[in-house]
Amino acid sequence: MCGIVGYIGDKQAEDLLLTGLKRLEYRGYDSAGLAVVGNGGLRVEKKEGKVDDLRKALSNGSMEGTLGVGHTRWATHGAPNDVNAHPHVSSDGAFAVVHNGIIENHGVIKKKLKEKGYQFDSETDTEVLVHLIEEVKREANLSLPEAVQQALTQVVGAYGIAVVSREDPDLLIAARKGSPLILGVGDGEYFIGSDAAPLVEHTRKVVYLSDGEIVTVRRSGYQVRTIDDEPLDKEVHELEWSLGEIEKGGYDHFMLKEIMEQPDALEDAMRGRVRPAEGEIVLGGLHQVWDQLRDADRIIIAACGTSWHSGLVGEYLIETFSRIPVEVEYASEFRYRDPIIREDDVVLVLSQSGETADTLAAVRQAQSRGALCLGICNVVGSTIARETDAGVYLHAGPEIGVASTKAFTAQVAVLSMIALKLSKGRTLSDAERKEHIQALAEVPDKVRAVLRQSDDALESMAQVYRYASNFLYLGRGYNFPVALEGALKLKEISYIHAEGYPAAEMKHGPIALIDRFMPVVFLAMKDSTYDKVLSNIEEVAARDGSVIAITDEENGELDELCEYVLRIPQTKEFLSPLLTVIPLQLLSYHIAVMRGCHVDQPRNLAKSVTVE
Ligand code: F6R
C-alpha cells in the first residue's frame, strides 16, 4: 500500500528520496511524488505512474535541498493521476504533506473548510487534512508542529503522515495512527519510512512509532510526543534487515528469488527451535504463555489471504496433534461479527507484514475480550508483533514480491513446531514426536530437491498453459489449503481466473466447468487421501479435463491419466504442504512471466494492506 520516505540531514534529499521510493515500490502503487525544501523554497513534483516516470519529470532540473518527503500512492480516494498524487500542499504553498491511510471524516471536515473558503484541487482525503492543518494553524496562530498535532485530534481514521515546510528548513514532522512509520536515526541525519526498506542502506538504528505518536525531527535531534502532547522516551532498536536482502541478487524478480530462498528461510525459521537430537521444539517467544496455550479450550486463528491459507494448514496440524479445537477466521470478518471469544480461548494471528489492518483489528478485538493473543509475524518490530501478548517471528527475511511465498512456508513450519510441541503427553509418544521433529528438520533439503527438479519442467508446462482462461486446483486434507494457495498465486500475478477447492467438493458444482480447455491441478500425494483423490482425477480425465498432478517421486500410476505429472520427494503427510506448494508457486511465476505480467507488483495489489 502507499509508501512514505522522509529525509533531513546534510545530503541532497532528491536522489536519496527517489532511491527510497524505489525501495518502496514493492508495496504496490500507482503514482509517486516528492517535496524538497531548500534555498529555492518548497518544490513539489508528482506524477501518475512509476518512480522512474517521476525521475524523468525531474530530469529537467533537480530539486536542491537537504530536507524532503516522498510518497508512492495506492489510490483510495480519487483516481490515480498527477493531481491526486502526493505530496499535497497548503493553499499558501508553505508546507507539504504525504499521507498513508484513510481520513474517514474527510467529508464533514471538507464541508466546513469549504464554508471557510478553502478550495480543493484533488479528490483526496489528504488534501482535506492539509487544509485542516492550515486552518488550525491560522485560526490559533500556532506553530506547524502544534497545528499538526491539534489537527490530528480532529481526524477519524488511519494515518501515517510526514510534513515539511519552507518556513522551517530544519523541521520534519511525522505522525501515525493505524499506518506504520519508522524513524531512522543516523549521524546528524534522520529518515522516515513507512517500513524499513528505504532506511536500511543508511542506518540500522530505528525508532518504531506507535499509534497516536508524533515526532518532530531537527538535524540536532528528535522528540517523540503523544498526540496529547505527553513527551515520550522511545527505545532505539536495531534493524534486522540488510541491504542485500532487499535487492534482487541476480534474479529477474523478487518473487523468484524468494521462492528459491525457501530452503534457507525454513532453516532460519527452525534454527535453535527444532531440535531433532533431543526430540524437542523450543519456542522462546511462547515460553511465558505456554501453559495457557497448552491448556486452551479453543484456538482461534485469524489472518488474511495467504496467511489465512497457512492458518488453515495450522488448523489441521494443531487439531491432529493437540486435539484442541481450532477455528480459522478471515480477520476481516472476525472483527465485525461480534465473535464469541472466551477467556480460555487463545487467538493466534498470522501476518507476514505484521501491519495488515484487519488482522491488527482482530488482535485488538481478542484482547478487548480478555483472550490471550499470539502473533506469528515476519517483520520484526511490526505493529502486530508489538501489540500481541507473545509470539514467534518467522525469520524468513524480507519478503518484497507482492505475492507471498517464503512467508507461507515459514508460517507452516512455525505452525508445525507449535503443533508438535502441543502433542507432548497427548497424541504422540516421545519416540513418535522425535521422528516427526526429525522429518521437519529434513524439509529444507527436500524443498531444495523440489526446486532443483521442477523449475525447468514447470517452465515448459507454463508454455502450454499460459493461454488458459481458467484453472482449478484440487486437494484434500493438508493439501486442500495448498489448492487454495495455488489458485491465489496464479490469479494474483497472472490474472488468470483460478479456483481452489477441496477435491471432493468438485462434484458438487465445479465439475460442470470441466472440458478440454480446463486445466486442473491435483495435489495427489500418496497419503491417507490418495485413493479418493485418484477417483477425482479419473472423474476429471473422463470429462477431457487437462490434469496436472503433483505426486510422490515413486508414484508411476498417474501417467496415463494426466497430461503432466510432477514428482516430488516423499515426506510425512502433515509436512507435505511445505513441498507441494513449491511447484504451484513456480507454475504461477512462469505463467505470469510468459504473459508479460508485472510479477513483483501485480496490478491493483499492495504488499501490506493497511486499510480495511
Ligand atoms: C498473497 C498475499 C496476500 C497476503 C495478505 C495478508 O500472495 O500476499 O494475500 O497474504 O494480504 O498479508 P499479511 O500476511 O502481511 O498479513
Side-chain angles (χ1 to χ4, degrees):
M1 215 133 258
C2 309
I4 288 179
V5 57
Y7 176 73
I8 182 166
D10 57 6
K11 301 193 180 90
Q12 285 301 314
E14 179 190 303
D15 210 47
L16 205 141
L17 294 172
L18 284 168
T19 310
L21 290 181
K22 286 294 281 179
R23 303 250 182 251
L24 288 168
E25 282 192 309
Y26 80 99
R27 292 168 69 99
Y29 72 109
D30 42 53
S31 49
L34 286 189
V36 172
V37 176
N39 289 339
L42 171 73
R43 221 189 115 192
V44 172
E45 194 73 55
K46 48 193 196 170
K47 269 257 149 297
E48 181 190 345
K50 295 291 171 191
V51 175
D52 289 337
D53 300 316
L54 176 67
R55 199 184 275 275
K56 264 185 226 134
L58 286 162
S59 58
N60 298 335
S62 60
M63 302 161 96
E64 296 279 317
T66 54
L67 165 69
V69 288
H71 191 259
T72 49
R73 173 174 187 254
W74 188 86
T76 54
H77 290 74
N81 58 35
D82 291 0
V83 179
N84 288 334
H86 301 203
H88 289 278
V89 180
S90 56
S91 319
D92 59 1
F95 66 90
V97 176
V98 291
H99 164 225
N100 290 355
I102 294 178
I103 309 292
E104 286 168 12
N105 58 342
H106 68 100
V108 188
I109 301 175
K110 188 171 184 174
K111 190 163 170 276
K112 285 189 196 151
L113 290 168
K114 272 187 166 169
E115 282 162 14
K116 295 194 173 187
Y118 284 90
Q119 296 198 338
F120 291 82
D121 299 324
S122 76
E123 302 153 274
T124 64
D125 51 343
T126 306
E127 196 186 1
V128 176
L129 177 62
V130 174
H131 292 320
L132 177 66
I133 297 171
E134 201 174 349
E135 175 57 15
V136 169
K137 183 171 182 300
R138 188 197 60 78
E139 208 173 41
N141 197 19
L142 300 176
S143 68
L144 186 59
E146 287 166 337
V148 170
Q149 184 205 332
Q150 302 250 330
L152 290 177
T153 60
Q154 298 182 33
V155 153
V156 177
Y159 55 78
I161 61 164
V163 187
V164 291
S165 168
R166 68 174 181 214
E167 286 170 357
D168 193 343
D170 188 30
L171 174 67
L172 171 62
I173 306 169
R176 84 158 262 184
K177 186 180 154 219
S179 199
L181 273 187
I182 305 176
L183 171 72
V185 181
D187 196 5
E189 57 181 1
Y190 296 90
F191 308 83
I192 294 287
S194 45
D195 68 34
L199 312 187
V200 274
E201 60 199 284
H202 304 292
T203 179
R204 307 194 66 77
K205 286 197 212 136
V206 293
V207 174
Y208 297 106
L209 292 187
S210 298
D211 278 355
E213 291 179 358
I214 179 163
V215 60
T216 44
V217 193
R218 299 192 181 276
R219 288 174 183 82
S220 54
Y222 65 92
Q223 197 177 48
V224 185
R225 309 180 84 84
T226 66
I227 218 77
D228 305 319
D229 211 24
E230 292 297 320
L232 295 167
D233 193 10
K234 299 279 292 185
E235 197 182 333
V236 178
H237 294 262
E238 193 77 15
L239 266 187
E240 280 205 343
W241 292 10
S242 71
L243 186 58
E245 283 177 311
I246 61 161
E247 292 188 324
K248 284 194 201 137
Y251 287 96
D252 288 342
H253 298 98
F254 282 110
M255 182 180 178
L256 184 59
K257 175 180 178 237
E258 287 154 13
I259 291 173
M260 296 298 179
E261 275 172 357
Q262 285 177 107
D264 295 340
L266 285 166
E267 275 168 358
D268 289 344
M270 293 187 208
R271 183 158 300 115
R273 295 169 170 169
V274 174
R275 303 191 178 178
E278 300 149 48
E280 286 298 340
I281 300 282
V282 178
L283 295 169
L286 297 182
H287 187 67
Q288 301 286 341
V289 295
W290 185 255
D291 291 355
Q292 210 177 330
L293 175 61
R294 187 197 52 210
D295 299 337
D297 281 350
R298 185 173 61 141
I299 296 173
I300 301 169
I301 298 180
C304 301
T306 289
S307 296
W308 185 79
H309 296 156
S310 62
L312 283 180
V313 181
E315 177 182 25
Y316 284 80
L317 286 164
I318 295 173
E319 287 198 343
T320 302
F321 290 114
S322 74
R323 309 310 295 154
I324 299 172
V326 179
E327 283 171 29
V328 186
E329 298 268 358
Y330 284 113
S332 54
E333 290 296 312
F334 183 70
R335 61 181 295 196
Y336 287 119
R337 67 169 180 76
D338 193 17
I340 299 166
I341 309 173
R342 301 188 203 92
E343 276 187 13
D344 290 333
D345 292 336
V346 171
V347 175
L348 178 62
V349 299
L350 301 165
S351 176
Q352 186 287 128
S353 62
E355 301 293 351
T356 301
D358 286 322
T359 311
L360 179 58
V363 171
R364 292 174 180 164
Q365 164 94 290
Q367 287 173 333
S368 72
R369 308 287 182 94
L372 176 71
C373 189
L374 309 177
I376 300 180
C377 296
N378 193 34
V379 178
V380 175
S382 56
T383 311
I384 294 175
R386 284 181 292 134
E387 288 203 11
T388 40
D389 301 309
V392 184
Y393 278 121
L394 299 180
H395 295 313
E399 192 179 67
I400 307 287
V402 162
S404 189
T405 52
K406 62 178 179 174
F408 175 83
T409 42
Q411 283 168 340
V412 172
V414 168
L415 288 162
S416 307
M417 293 176 218
I418 293 175
L420 289 176
K421 197 169 166 65
L422 286 170
S423 74
K424 199 167 189 166
R426 285 172 156 142
T427 53
L428 298 178
S429 66
D430 286 352
E432 284 166 333
R433 202 175 49 262
K434 197 165 178 186
E435 195 188 308
H436 282 57
I437 291 171
Q438 178 62 38
L440 176 58
E442 287 166 10
V443 164
D445 276 340
K446 292 189 175 176
V447 173
R448 272 187 194 99
V450 179
L451 289 168
R452 251 193 330 266
Q453 288 159 16
S454 52
D455 194 30
D456 291 347
L458 285 158
E459 200 171 341
S460 41
M461 264 187 232
Q463 293 279 7
V464 176
Y465 290 107
R466 66 179 151 155
Y467 299 114
S469 315
N470 297 288
F471 257 80
L472 263 185
Y473 287 76
L474 301 175
R476 287 177 181 242
Y478 283 104
N479 277 308
F480 156 53
V482 177
L484 297 181
E485 176 58 8
L488 178 63
K489 285 291 87 89
L490 186 69
K491 70 185 125 189
E492 68 182 333
I493 59 166
S494 73
Y495 319 139
I496 294 175
H497 172 244
E499 302 266 7
Y501 268 94
E505 274 294 306
M506 180 186 65
K507 51 189 172 299
H508 299 287
I511 197 164
L513 298 169
I514 308 285
D515 62 15
R516 69 197 165 89
F517 302 111
M518 175 62 94
V520 185
V521 180
F522 272 99
L523 298 156
M525 302 306 286
K526 280 248 174 183
D527 59 23
S528 61
T529 66
Y530 178 72
D531 291 342
K532 304 286 176 204
V533 174
L534 187 55
S535 309
N536 300 137
I537 293 178
E538 276 166 0
E539 286 156 12
V540 172
R543 287 162 182 82
D544 261 355
S546 175
V547 178
I548 302 159
I550 316 291
T551 192
D552 301 70
E553 54 199 353
E554 313 281 281
N555 186 6
E557 65 187 350
L558 296 177
D559 297 10
E560 303 254 300
L561 284 171
C562 303
E563 211 104 5
Y564 288 96
V565 178
L566 208 100
R567 292 186 180 78
I568 61 174
Q570 249 160 352
T571 184
K572 288 195 180 289
E573 183 165 349
F574 77 98
L575 295 171
S576 81
L578 292 167
L579 303 186
T580 52
V581 76
I582 310 285
L584 307 192
Q585 296 168 342
L586 283 169
L587 180 64
S588 306
Y589 171 76
H590 288 302
I591 289 180
V593 171
M594 284 172 197
R595 286 167 69 95
C597 298
H598 214 315
V599 173
D600 284 333
Q601 293 153 44
R603 69 181 179 209
N604 305 336
L605 285 177
K607 182 64 184 161
S608 138
V609 184
T610 50
V611 296
E612 297 172 21

